[in-house]
Structure formats: structure tokens, C-alpha cells
Amino acid sequence: MNAFNDFVWGMSSSVALTGVMALGMKVLQILIILLVCKILISLSSKLIEKVLGAQVQRKKLAMSERKASTLSTVAGSILKYVIYFIGLVSVLKQLGVPTESLLVIASAGSVAIGLGAQGIAGDMMEGFFILFEDHYAVGDVVTIQGITGTVESVTLRSTTLRDPMGSVHIIPNGSIGTVTNNCREFINAVVTVGIAYGES
């Protein structure tokens, strides 16, 4: 009887040890996936900056430094979201979530975007138009919603302005409306100079 109990105890210990090892391997794989995602985001950002920097240097395909900086910000943002999504799917697969469930989650997410996140979708669409129609770029001085400042960043969702006082304004792209760009080609400044009546 004691031998049987020892056998059962040994088997249960072996099963528990195997379960702990399997769990440890899954945790390790998830950590590796997250680390790879972080490395990919960093490398993609550097690659985008390098490619756009080369475009700025070329004479035939000249691209302004401001536009290159804007494209770098937007492309980096898109790639970051794509890598995050791929990483999330990989982590869920490691946790044993079946592919069918992932499709259901994606469908539910699309419904949520259609119903509850219309503002976000509008912001992203407006961000694409701002980028491709070149309304303004990073470094331009613009007036949006009565706020005048320097464009610090443009993403798919928002535009960041810094006014002359140093305050940072984050404006959703969907609510921008009319934009006054003070850095497009030329600008006139009306200056009043006082002259004494006795001067020639």
C-alpha cells in the first residue's frame, strides 16, 4: 500500500512539475514575443528615418525636411500599431486562444469601431488627408481653432502644437477645420513705423 501511495505521489509530482515547466515555457515565449516587438518598433523607426533622410538628400526626389519629419512620425505610428497587433495575436495564440476566437474578437472590434469609435475613425481619415494633401508639416507655424503655434508632431489621430508661451495643444485631426499655415511659400507682414513730423 505504501509503495502504491509513493507511486501515486511520484506521478502527481511529475505531472505538477511538467505543468509548471509548460507554464514557464509559455511565459518565456510571451516575454520573447514582447521583446521582439519592442526591438522591431525601434528598428523600424530608425529605418524610416534613414530612408526619408536619404530622400531629403537626393536632388531628383527632393523632399523637404519638414515633410520628411511628418512622414516619419506617421509611418512610425502606423508600423507601431501593426507590430502591436501582430504581437497581441501571437501572445493570444501562446495562451491557447483558437484562431476562430481571434476572428470573433476582430469582428467585434470592427463593430466597435463602426459604432462607438466613429470619432477615432474620422480623426484617422483626416490624418491621412492632412498627410497626403500636405496641409502642414512638422515645424510649420499654423493657426488651428484659434490657436497659433509650431507643429511638433502629426499622427493619424492628432496634431500637437506648441504656442509662443510654451503650452502644448493636442488637437484631434477630425476637429481641425480651417487651417492657416504661416509658412507656405511666403507671408506678408504689415509693420507700422512712426516718423516724427520734423524728419525729412
Coordinates of all heavy atoms in Angstrom, one line a residue, residues 15-117:
V15 N 3.5 15.2 -12.8 CA 2.6 15.9 -13.6 C 2.6 17.4 -13.2 O 2.6 18.3 -14.1 CB 1.1 15.3 -13.3 CG1 0.1 16.2 -14.0 CG2 1.1 13.9 -13.9
A16 N 2.7 17.7 -11.9 CA 2.8 19.1 -11.4 C 4.0 19.8 -12.0 O 4.0 20.9 -12.4 CB 2.7 19.1 -9.9
L17 N 5.2 19.1 -11.9 CA 6.4 19.6 -12.4 C 6.3 19.9 -13.9 O 6.8 20.9 -14.4 CB 7.6 18.7 -12.1 CG 9.0 19.2 -12.5 CD1 9.3 20.4 -11.8 CD2 10.0 18.1 -12.2
T18 N 5.7 19.0 -14.6 CA 5.5 19.1 -16.1 C 4.7 20.4 -16.4 O 4.9 21.1 -17.3 CB 4.9 17.9 -16.7 OG1 5.7 16.7 -16.4 CG2 4.8 18.0 -18.2
G19 N 3.6 20.5 -15.6 CA 2.7 21.7 -15.8 C 3.4 23.0 -15.5 O 3.2 24.0 -16.2
V20 N 4.2 23.0 -14.4 CA 5.0 24.2 -14.1 C 6.0 24.5 -15.2 O 6.1 25.7 -15.6 CB 5.7 24.0 -12.7 CG1 6.7 25.2 -12.5 CG2 4.7 24.0 -11.6
M21 N 6.6 23.5 -15.7 CA 7.6 23.8 -16.8 C 6.9 24.3 -18.1 O 7.4 25.2 -18.7 CB 8.3 22.5 -17.1 CG 9.3 22.0 -16.0 SD 10.2 20.5 -16.4 CE 11.1 21.0 -17.9
A22 N 5.7 23.7 -18.4 CA 5.0 24.1 -19.6 C 4.5 25.6 -19.4 O 4.6 26.4 -20.3 CB 3.8 23.2 -19.8
L23 N 4.1 25.9 -18.2 CA 3.7 27.3 -17.9 C 4.9 28.3 -18.0 O 4.8 29.4 -18.6 CB 3.0 27.4 -16.5 CG 2.6 28.8 -16.1 CD1 1.5 29.3 -17.0 CD2 2.0 28.8 -14.7
G24 N 6.0 27.8 -17.5 CA 7.2 28.6 -17.6 C 7.6 28.9 -19.0 O 8.1 30.0 -19.4
M25 N 7.5 27.8 -19.8 CA 7.9 28.0 -21.2 C 7.0 29.0 -22.0 O 7.4 29.8 -22.8 CB 7.8 26.6 -21.9 CG 9.0 25.7 -21.6 SD 10.6 26.4 -22.1 CE 10.4 26.4 -23.9
K26 N 5.7 28.9 -21.6 CA 4.7 29.9 -22.3 C 5.0 31.3 -21.8 O 5.0 32.2 -22.7 CB 3.3 29.5 -21.9 CG 2.7 28.3 -22.6 CD 1.3 28.1 -22.4 CE 0.7 27.0 -23.2 NZ -0.8 26.8 -23.0
V27 N 5.3 31.5 -20.5 CA 5.7 32.8 -20.1 C 6.9 33.3 -20.8 O 7.0 34.5 -21.2 CB 5.8 32.8 -18.5 CG1 6.4 34.1 -18.0 CG2 4.5 32.5 -17.8
L28 N 7.9 32.4 -20.9 CA 9.2 32.8 -21.6 C 8.9 33.2 -23.0 O 9.5 34.2 -23.5 CB 10.2 31.7 -21.5 CG 11.5 31.9 -22.1 CD1 12.3 33.0 -21.4 CD2 12.4 30.6 -22.0
Q29 N 8.1 32.4 -23.7 CA 7.8 32.7 -25.1 C 7.0 34.0 -25.2 O 7.3 34.8 -26.2 CB 6.9 31.6 -25.7 CG 7.7 30.3 -25.9 CD 6.8 29.1 -26.3 OE1 5.6 29.2 -26.2 NE2 7.4 28.0 -26.8
I30 N 6.1 34.3 -24.3 CA 5.4 35.6 -24.4 C 6.4 36.8 -24.2 O 6.3 37.8 -24.8 CB 4.3 35.6 -23.3 CG1 3.2 34.7 -23.7 CG2 3.7 37.0 -23.1 CD1 2.1 34.4 -22.7
L31 N 7.3 36.6 -23.2 CA 8.3 37.6 -23.0 C 9.2 37.9 -24.2 O 9.5 39.0 -24.5 CB 9.1 37.3 -21.7 CG 8.4 37.4 -20.4 CD1 9.4 36.9 -19.3 CD2 8.0 38.8 -20.1
I32 N 9.5 36.8 -24.9 CA 10.4 36.9 -26.1 C 9.6 37.6 -27.2 O 10.1 38.5 -27.9 CB 10.8 35.5 -26.6 CG1 11.8 34.9 -25.6 CG2 11.4 35.5 -28.0 CD1 12.2 33.4 -25.9
I33 N 8.3 37.3 -27.3 CA 7.4 38.0 -28.3 C 7.4 39.5 -28.0 O 7.6 40.3 -28.9 CB 6.0 37.4 -28.3 CG1 6.0 36.0 -28.9 CG2 5.1 38.3 -29.1 CD1 4.7 35.2 -28.8
L34 N 7.2 39.9 -26.8 CA 7.1 41.3 -26.4 C 8.5 42.0 -26.7 O 8.5 43.1 -27.1 CB 6.8 41.4 -24.9 CG 5.3 40.9 -24.6 CD1 5.1 41.1 -23.1 CD2 4.3 41.7 -25.3
L35 N 9.6 41.3 -26.4 CA 10.9 41.8 -26.6 C 11.2 42.0 -28.1 O 11.7 43.1 -28.5 CB 12.0 40.9 -26.0 CG 13.4 41.4 -26.2 CD1 13.7 42.7 -25.5 CD2 14.4 40.3 -25.6
V36 N 10.8 41.0 -28.9 CA 10.9 41.1 -30.4 C 10.1 42.3 -30.9 O 10.6 43.1 -31.8 CB 10.5 39.8 -31.0 CG1 10.4 40.0 -32.5 CG2 11.5 38.7 -30.7
C37 N 8.9 42.5 -30.4 CA 8.0 43.6 -30.8 C 8.7 44.9 -30.5 O 8.7 45.9 -31.4 CB 6.7 43.6 -30.1 SG 5.6 42.2 -30.7
K38 N 9.3 45.1 -29.3 CA 10.0 46.3 -28.9 C 11.2 46.6 -29.8 O 11.4 47.7 -30.3 CB 10.4 46.2 -27.5 CG 11.0 47.5 -26.9 CD 11.2 47.4 -25.4 CE 11.8 48.7 -24.9 NZ 12.1 48.7 -23.5
I39 N 11.9 45.5 -30.1 CA 13.1 45.7 -31.0 C 12.7 46.1 -32.4 O 13.3 46.9 -33.0 CB 13.9 44.4 -31.0 CG1 14.6 44.1 -29.6 CG2 15.0 44.4 -32.1 CD1 15.2 42.8 -29.5
L40 N 11.6 45.4 -32.9 CA 11.1 45.7 -34.3 C 10.6 47.2 -34.4 O 10.9 47.8 -35.4 CB 10.0 44.8 -34.6 CG 10.4 43.3 -35.0 CD1 9.2 42.5 -35.3 CD2 11.3 43.4 -36.2
I41 N 9.9 47.7 -33.3 CA 9.5 49.0 -33.3 C 10.7 50.0 -33.4 O 10.7 51.0 -34.2 CB 8.6 49.3 -32.1 CG1 7.3 48.6 -32.3 CG2 8.4 50.8 -31.9 CD1 6.4 48.6 -31.0
S42 N 11.7 49.7 -32.6 CA 12.9 50.6 -32.6 C 13.6 50.5 -33.9 O 14.0 51.6 -34.5 CB 13.8 50.1 -31.5 OG 15.0 50.9 -31.5
L43 N 13.8 49.3 -34.5 CA 14.5 49.2 -35.8 C 13.7 49.9 -36.9 O 14.3 50.5 -37.8 CB 14.7 47.7 -36.1 CG 15.8 47.0 -35.2 CD1 15.9 45.6 -35.6 CD2 17.1 47.7 -35.4
S44 N 12.4 49.7 -36.9 CA 11.5 50.3 -38.0 C 11.6 51.8 -37.9 O 11.6 52.5 -39.0 CB 10.1 49.8 -37.9 OG 9.5 50.2 -36.6
S45 N 11.6 52.4 -36.7 CA 11.7 53.8 -36.6 C 13.0 54.3 -37.2 O 13.0 55.3 -37.9 CB 11.5 54.2 -35.1 OG 10.3 53.9 -34.6
K46 N 14.1 53.6 -36.8 CA 15.4 54.1 -37.4 C 15.5 53.9 -38.9 O 16.0 54.7 -39.6 CB 16.5 53.3 -36.7 CG 16.7 53.6 -35.2 CD 17.8 52.8 -34.6 CE 17.9 53.1 -33.1 NZ 18.9 52.3 -32.4
L47 N 14.9 52.8 -39.4 CA 14.9 52.6 -40.8 C 14.1 53.6 -41.6 O 14.5 54.1 -42.6 CB 14.3 51.2 -41.1 CG 14.3 50.8 -42.6 CD1 15.7 50.7 -43.2 CD2 13.6 49.4 -42.7
I48 N 12.9 54.0 -41.0 CA 12.1 55.0 -41.7 C 12.9 56.4 -41.7 O 12.9 57.1 -42.7 CB 10.8 55.2 -40.9 CG1 9.9 54.0 -41.1 CG2 10.1 56.5 -41.3 CD1 8.7 53.9 -40.2
E49 N 13.5 56.7 -40.6 CA 14.3 58.0 -40.5 C 15.4 58.0 -41.5 O 15.7 59.0 -42.2 CB 14.8 58.2 -39.1 CG 13.7 58.5 -38.1 CD 14.3 58.7 -36.7 OE1 15.5 58.6 -36.6 OE2 13.5 58.9 -35.8
K50 N 16.1 56.8 -41.7 CA 17.2 56.7 -42.6 C 16.7 56.8 -44.0 O 17.3 57.5 -44.8 CB 17.9 55.3 -42.4 CG 19.2 55.2 -43.2 CD 19.9 53.9 -42.9 CE 21.1 53.7 -43.7 NZ 21.8 52.5 -43.4
V51 N 15.6 56.1 -44.4 CA 15.1 56.2 -45.8 C 14.6 57.6 -46.1 O 15.0 58.1 -47.2 CB 13.9 55.2 -45.9 CG1 13.2 55.4 -47.3 CG2 14.5 53.7 -45.8
L52 N 13.9 58.2 -45.2 CA 13.4 59.6 -45.5 C 14.5 60.6 -45.5 O 14.5 61.5 -46.3 CB 12.3 59.9 -44.5 CG 11.0 59.1 -44.6 CD1 10.1 59.6 -43.5 CD2 10.4 59.4 -46.0
G53 N 15.5 60.3 -44.7 CA 16.7 61.2 -44.7 C 17.4 61.1 -46.0 O 17.9 62.2 -46.5
A54 N 17.5 59.9 -46.6 CA 18.1 59.8 -47.9 C 17.3 60.5 -49.0 O 17.9 61.1 -49.9 CB 18.3 58.3 -48.2
Q55 N 16.0 60.4 -48.8 CA 15.1 61.1 -49.8 C 15.4 62.6 -49.8 O 15.3 63.3 -50.8 CB 13.7 60.8 -49.5 CG 13.3 59.4 -49.8 CD 13.4 59.0 -51.3 OE1 13.2 59.8 -52.1 NE2 13.7 57.7 -51.5
V56 N 15.6 63.2 -48.5 CA 15.8 64.6 -48.4 C 17.1 65.0 -49.1 O 17.2 66.1 -49.7 CB 15.9 65.0 -46.9 CG1 16.3 66.4 -46.7 CG2 14.5 64.8 -46.3
Q57 N 18.1 64.1 -49.0 CA 19.5 64.4 -49.6 C 19.5 64.3 -51.1 O 20.3 65.0 -51.7 CB 20.5 63.4 -49.0 CG 20.7 63.6 -47.5 CD 21.2 64.9 -47.1 OE1 21.9 65.6 -47.8 NE2 20.7 65.4 -45.9
R58 N 18.6 63.5 -51.7 CA 18.6 63.3 -53.1 C 18.1 64.6 -53.8 O 17.2 65.3 -53.3 CB 17.7 62.2 -53.5 CG 18.3 60.8 -53.2 CD 17.4 59.7 -53.8 NE 17.9 58.4 -53.5 CZ 17.3 57.3 -53.8 NH1 16.1 57.4 -54.5 NH2 17.8 56.1 -53.5
K59 N 18.7 64.9 -55.0 CA 18.3 66.1 -55.7 C 17.0 65.8 -56.6 O 16.2 66.7 -56.7 CB 19.4 66.6 -56.6 CG 20.6 67.1 -55.7 CD 21.7 67.6 -56.6 CE 22.9 68.1 -55.7 NZ 24.0 68.6 -56.6
K60 N 17.0 64.6 -57.2 CA 15.9 64.3 -58.1 C 14.6 64.2 -57.4 O 13.5 64.6 -57.8 CB 16.2 63.1 -58.9 CG 17.3 63.3 -59.9 CD 17.6 62.1 -60.8 CE 18.7 62.3 -61.8 NZ 18.9 61.1 -62.6
L61 N 14.6 63.4 -56.2 CA 13.4 63.2 -55.5 C 13.4 64.0 -54.2 O 13.4 63.5 -53.1 CB 13.3 61.7 -55.1 CG 13.1 60.8 -56.3 CD1 13.2 59.3 -55.9 CD2 11.9 61.0 -57.1
A62 N 13.6 65.3 -54.4 CA 13.8 66.2 -53.3 C 12.5 66.2 -52.4 O 11.4 66.3 -52.9 CB 14.1 67.6 -53.7
M63 N 12.8 66.1 -51.1 CA 11.7 66.1 -50.1 C 12.1 67.1 -49.0 O 13.2 67.0 -48.5 CB 11.4 64.7 -49.6 CG 10.3 64.7 -48.5 SD 10.1 63.0 -47.8 CE 9.6 62.1 -49.2
S64 N 11.2 68.0 -48.7 CA 11.5 69.0 -47.6 C 11.8 68.2 -46.3 O 11.2 67.2 -46.0 CB 10.4 70.0 -47.5 OG 9.3 69.4 -46.9
E65 N 12.6 68.8 -45.5 CA 13.0 68.2 -44.2 C 11.7 68.2 -43.3 O 11.5 67.2 -42.6 CB 14.0 69.1 -43.5 CG 14.8 68.3 -42.5 CD 16.1 69.1 -42.1 OE1 16.8 69.6 -42.9 OE2 16.3 69.1 -40.8
R66 N 10.8 69.2 -43.4 CA 9.6 69.2 -42.6 C 8.7 68.1 -43.0 O 8.1 67.4 -42.2 CB 8.9 70.5 -42.7 CG 9.7 71.7 -42.1 CD 9.0 73.0 -42.3 NE 9.7 74.1 -41.6 CZ 9.4 75.3 -41.7 NH1 8.4 75.7 -42.5 NH2 10.0 76.2 -41.0
K67 N 8.5 67.9 -44.3 CA 7.6 66.8 -44.8 C 8.2 65.4 -44.4 O 7.4 64.5 -44.0 CB 7.4 66.9 -46.3 CG 6.4 65.9 -46.8 CD 6.0 66.2 -48.2 CE 4.8 65.3 -48.7 NZ 4.4 65.6 -50.1
A68 N 9.5 65.3 -44.5 CA 10.1 64.0 -44.1 C 9.9 63.7 -42.7 O 9.6 62.6 -42.3 CB 11.6 64.1 -44.5
S69 N 10.0 64.7 -41.8 CA 9.8 64.6 -40.4 C 8.3 64.2 -40.1 O 8.0 63.3 -39.3 CB 10.1 65.8 -39.7 OG 9.9 65.7 -38.3
T70 N 7.4 64.8 -40.9 CA 6.0 64.4 -40.7 C 5.7 63.0 -41.1 O 5.0 62.2 -40.4 CB 5.1 65.4 -41.5 OG1 5.4 66.8 -41.2 CG2 3.6 65.2 -41.2
L71 N 6.2 62.6 -42.3 CA 6.0 61.3 -42.8 C 6.7 60.2 -41.9 O 6.1 59.2 -41.6 CB 6.7 61.1 -44.2 CG 5.9 61.7 -45.4 CD1 6.7 61.7 -46.6 CD2 4.6 61.0 -45.6
S72 N 7.8 60.6 -41.3 CA 8.4 59.7 -40.3 C 7.6 59.4 -39.1 O 7.4 58.3 -38.7 CB 9.8 60.3 -39.9 OG 10.4 59.5 -38.9
T73 N 6.9 60.5 -38.6 CA 6.1 60.4 -37.4 C 4.9 59.5 -37.8 O 4.5 58.6 -37.0 CB 5.6 61.7 -37.0 OG1 6.7 62.6 -36.7 CG2 4.8 61.6 -35.7
V74 N 4.2 59.7 -38.9 CA 3.0 59.0 -39.3 C 3.3 57.5 -39.6 O 2.7 56.6 -39.1 CB 2.3 59.7 -40.4 CG1 1.1 58.8 -40.9 CG2 1.8 61.1 -40.0
A75 N 4.4 57.3 -40.4 CA 4.7 55.9 -40.8 C 5.2 55.1 -39.5 O 4.8 54.0 -39.4 CB 5.9 55.9 -41.8
G76 N 5.9 55.8 -38.6 CA 6.3 55.1 -37.4 C 5.1 54.7 -36.5 O 5.0 53.7 -35.9
S77 N 4.1 55.6 -36.5 CA 2.9 55.3 -35.7 C 2.1 54.2 -36.3 O 1.7 53.3 -35.6 CB 2.0 56.6 -35.7 OG 0.7 56.3 -35.1
I78 N 2.0 54.1 -37.7 CA 1.3 53.0 -38.3 C 2.0 51.7 -38.1 O 1.4 50.7 -37.7 CB 1.2 53.3 -39.8 CG1 0.2 54.5 -40.1 CG2 0.6 52.0 -40.6 CD1 0.2 54.9 -41.6
L79 N 3.3 51.7 -38.3 CA 4.1 50.4 -38.0 C 4.0 50.0 -36.6 O 3.9 48.8 -36.3 CB 5.5 50.7 -38.4 CG 5.9 50.5 -39.9 CD1 7.4 50.8 -40.1 CD2 5.6 49.1 -40.3
K80 N 4.0 50.9 -35.7 CA 3.9 50.5 -34.3 C 2.6 49.8 -34.0 O 2.6 48.8 -33.3 CB 4.0 51.8 -33.4 CG 4.0 51.5 -31.9 CD 4.3 52.8 -31.1 CE 3.2 53.8 -31.3 NZ 3.4 55.0 -30.4
Y81 N 1.5 50.4 -34.5 CA 0.2 49.7 -34.3 C 0.1 48.3 -34.9 O -0.4 47.4 -34.4 CB -0.9 50.6 -34.8 CG -1.2 51.8 -34.0 CD1 -1.3 53.1 -34.6 CD2 -1.3 51.7 -32.6 CE1 -1.6 54.2 -33.9 CE2 -1.5 52.9 -31.9 CZ -1.7 54.1 -32.5 OH -1.9 55.2 -31.8
V82 N 0.7 48.2 -36.1 CA 0.7 46.9 -36.8 C 1.5 45.9 -36.0 O 1.1 44.7 -35.8 CB 1.3 47.0 -38.3 CG1 1.6 45.7 -38.9 CG2 0.4 47.8 -39.1
I83 N 2.7 46.3 -35.5 CA 3.5 45.4 -34.8 C 2.8 45.0 -33.4 O 2.9 43.8 -33.0 CB 4.9 46.0 -34.5 CG1 5.7 46.1 -35.8 CG2 5.7 45.2 -33.5 CD1 7.0 46.9 -35.7
Y84 N 2.2 46.0 -32.8 CA 1.5 45.7 -31.6 C 0.4 44.6 -31.9 O 0.1 43.7 -31.1 CB 0.8 46.9 -31.0 CG 1.8 47.8 -30.2 CD1 1.6 49.1 -30.1 CD2 2.9 47.2 -29.5 CE1 2.5 49.9 -29.3 CE2 3.7 48.0 -28.8 CZ 3.5 49.4 -28.7 OH 4.4 50.1 -28.0
F85 N -0.3 44.8 -33.0 CA -1.4 43.9 -33.3 C -0.9 42.5 -33.5 O -1.4 41.5 -33.0 CB -2.2 44.4 -34.5 CG -3.3 43.4 -35.0 CD1 -4.5 43.4 -34.3 CD2 -3.1 42.6 -36.1 CE1 -5.5 42.5 -34.7 CE2 -4.1 41.7 -36.5 CZ -5.3 41.7 -35.8
I86 N 0.2 42.4 -34.3 CA 0.8 41.0 -34.6 C 1.3 40.4 -33.2 O 1.1 39.2 -33.0 CB 2.0 41.2 -35.6 CG1 1.4 41.6 -36.9 CG2 2.7 39.8 -35.7 CD1 2.5 41.9 -37.9
G87 N 1.9 41.2 -32.4 CA 2.4 40.7 -31.1 C 1.2 40.2 -30.2 O 1.3 39.2 -29.6
L88 N 0.1 41.0 -30.2 CA -1.1 40.6 -29.5 C -1.6 39.3 -29.9 O -2.0 38.4 -29.1 CB -2.2 41.7 -29.5 CG -3.5 41.4 -28.8 CD1 -3.3 41.2 -27.3 CD2 -4.5 42.5 -29.1
V89 N -1.7 39.1 -31.3 CA -2.2 37.8 -31.8 C -1.3 36.7 -31.4 O -1.8 35.6 -31.1 CB -2.4 37.9 -33.4 CG1 -2.6 36.6 -34.0 CG2 -3.5 38.9 -33.7
S90 N 0.0 36.9 -31.5 CA 1.0 35.9 -31.1 C 0.8 35.5 -29.7 O 0.9 34.3 -29.3 CB 2.4 36.3 -31.4 OG 2.5 36.7 -32.8
V91 N 0.7 36.5 -28.8 CA 0.5 36.2 -27.4 C -0.7 35.4 -27.1 O -0.7 34.4 -26.3 CB 0.5 37.5 -26.6 CG1 0.1 37.3 -25.1 CG2 1.9 38.1 -26.6
L92 N -1.8 35.8 -27.8 CA -3.1 35.1 -27.6 C -3.0 33.6 -28.0 O -3.5 32.7 -27.4 CB -4.2 35.8 -28.3 CG -4.7 37.1 -27.7 CD1 -5.7 37.8 -28.6 CD2 -5.2 36.9 -26.3
K93 N -2.2 33.4 -29.1 CA -2.0 32.0 -29.6 C -1.2 31.2 -28.6 O -1.5 30.1 -28.4 CB -1.3 32.0 -31.0 CG -2.2 32.4 -32.1 CD -1.5 32.2 -33.4 CE -2.4 32.5 -34.6 NZ -1.7 32.3 -35.9
Q94 N -0.2 31.9 -28.0 CA 0.6 31.2 -26.9 C -0.3 30.8 -25.7 O 0.0 29.8 -25.1 CB 1.7 32.0 -26.5 CG 2.8 32.2 -27.6 CD 3.5 30.9 -27.9 OE1 3.6 30.0 -27.1 NE2 3.8 30.7 -29.2
L95 N -1.3 31.6 -25.5 CA -2.2 31.4 -24.3 C -3.3 30.3 -24.7 O -4.1 30.0 -23.8 CB -2.8 32.7 -23.9 CG -1.9 33.7 -23.2 CD1 -2.6 35.0 -22.9 CD2 -1.2 33.1 -22.0
G96 N -3.2 29.9 -25.9 CA -4.2 28.8 -26.3 C -5.5 29.3 -26.8 O -6.4 28.5 -27.0
V97 N -5.6 30.6 -27.2 CA -6.8 31.1 -27.8 C -6.9 30.7 -29.2 O -6.0 30.9 -30.0 CB -6.8 32.7 -27.7 CG1 -8.1 33.2 -28.3 CG2 -6.7 33.1 -26.2
P98 N -7.9 30.0 -29.6 CA -8.0 29.5 -31.0 C -8.2 30.6 -32.0 O -8.6 31.7 -31.7 CB -9.2 28.6 -31.0 CG -10.0 29.0 -29.8 CD -9.1 29.6 -28.8
T99 N -7.8 30.3 -33.3 CA -7.9 31.3 -34.3 C -9.3 31.8 -34.6 O -9.5 33.0 -34.9 CB -7.3 30.7 -35.6 OG1 -6.0 30.1 -35.4 CG2 -7.2 31.8 -36.7
E100 N -10.3 30.9 -34.4 CA -11.7 31.3 -34.6 C -12.1 32.4 -33.6 O -12.8 33.3 -33.9 CB -12.6 30.1 -34.4 CG -12.4 29.0 -35.5 CD -11.2 28.1 -35.3 OE1 -10.6 28.2 -34.2 OE2 -10.9 27.3 -36.2
S101 N -11.6 32.2 -32.4 CA -11.9 33.3 -31.4 C -11.2 34.6 -31.7 O -11.8 35.7 -31.5 CB -11.3 32.8 -30.0 OG -12.0 31.6 -29.6
L102 N -10.0 34.5 -32.3 CA -9.4 35.8 -32.7 C -10.2 36.5 -33.8 O -10.3 37.7 -33.9 CB -8.0 35.5 -33.3 CG -7.0 34.9 -32.2 CD1 -5.6 34.6 -32.9 CD2 -6.8 35.9 -31.1
L103 N -10.8 35.7 -34.7 CA -11.6 36.2 -35.8 C -12.9 36.9 -35.2 O -13.3 38.0 -35.6 CB -12.0 35.2 -36.8 CG -10.9 34.6 -37.7 CD1 -11.4 33.5 -38.5 CD2 -10.3 35.7 -38.5
V104 N -13.4 36.2 -34.2 CA -14.6 36.8 -33.5 C -14.2 38.1 -32.8 O -15.0 39.1 -32.9 CB -15.2 35.8 -32.5 CG1 -16.2 36.5 -31.6 CG2 -15.7 34.6 -33.2
I105 N -13.0 38.1 -32.2 CA -12.6 39.4 -31.5 C -12.4 40.5 -32.5 O -12.7 41.6 -32.3 CB -11.3 39.1 -30.7 CG1 -11.6 38.2 -29.5 CG2 -10.6 40.4 -30.2 CD1 -10.3 37.7 -28.8
A106 N -11.8 40.1 -33.7 CA -11.5 41.1 -34.7 C -12.9 41.7 -35.3 O -13.0 42.9 -35.5 CB -10.7 40.5 -35.8
S107 N -13.9 40.8 -35.4 CA -15.2 41.2 -35.9 C -15.8 42.1 -34.9 O -16.4 43.2 -35.2 CB -16.1 40.0 -36.1 OG -15.5 39.1 -37.1
A108 N -15.7 41.8 -33.6 CA -16.3 42.6 -32.5 C -15.6 44.0 -32.5 O -16.2 45.0 -32.3 CB -16.2 41.9 -31.2
G109 N -14.3 43.9 -32.7 CA -13.5 45.2 -32.8 C -14.0 46.1 -33.9 O -14.1 47.3 -33.8
S110 N -14.2 45.5 -35.1 CA -14.7 46.3 -36.2 C -16.1 46.9 -36.0 O -16.3 48.0 -36.4 CB -14.7 45.4 -37.5 OG -15.6 44.4 -37.4
V111 N -16.9 46.1 -35.3 CA -18.3 46.6 -35.0 C -18.1 47.8 -34.0 O -18.8 48.8 -34.1 CB -19.1 45.5 -34.4 CG1 -20.4 46.1 -33.8 CG2 -19.5 44.5 -35.4
A112 N -17.2 47.6 -33.0 CA -17.0 48.7 -32.0 C -16.5 50.0 -32.7 O -16.9 51.1 -32.4 CB -16.0 48.2 -31.0
I113 N -15.6 49.8 -33.7 CA -15.1 50.9 -34.4 C -16.2 51.6 -35.2 O -16.4 52.8 -35.3 CB -14.0 50.5 -35.4 CG1 -12.7 50.2 -34.6 CG2 -13.6 51.6 -36.4 CD1 -11.6 49.6 -35.4
G114 N -17.1 50.8 -35.8 CA -18.2 51.3 -36.6 C -19.2 52.0 -35.7 O -19.8 53.0 -36.2
L115 N -19.5 51.6 -34.5 CA -20.5 52.2 -33.6 C -19.9 53.2 -32.6 O -20.4 54.3 -32.6 CB -21.3 51.1 -32.9 CG -22.0 50.1 -33.8 CD1 -22.7 49.0 -32.9 CD2 -23.1 50.8 -34.6
G116 N -19.0 52.7 -31.8 CA -18.6 53.6 -30.7 C -17.3 54.4 -31.0 O -17.0 55.2 -30.2
A117 N -16.6 54.1 -32.0 CA -15.3 54.8 -32.2 C -15.4 55.5 -33.6 O -14.4 55.6 -34.3 CB -14.2 53.8 -32.2

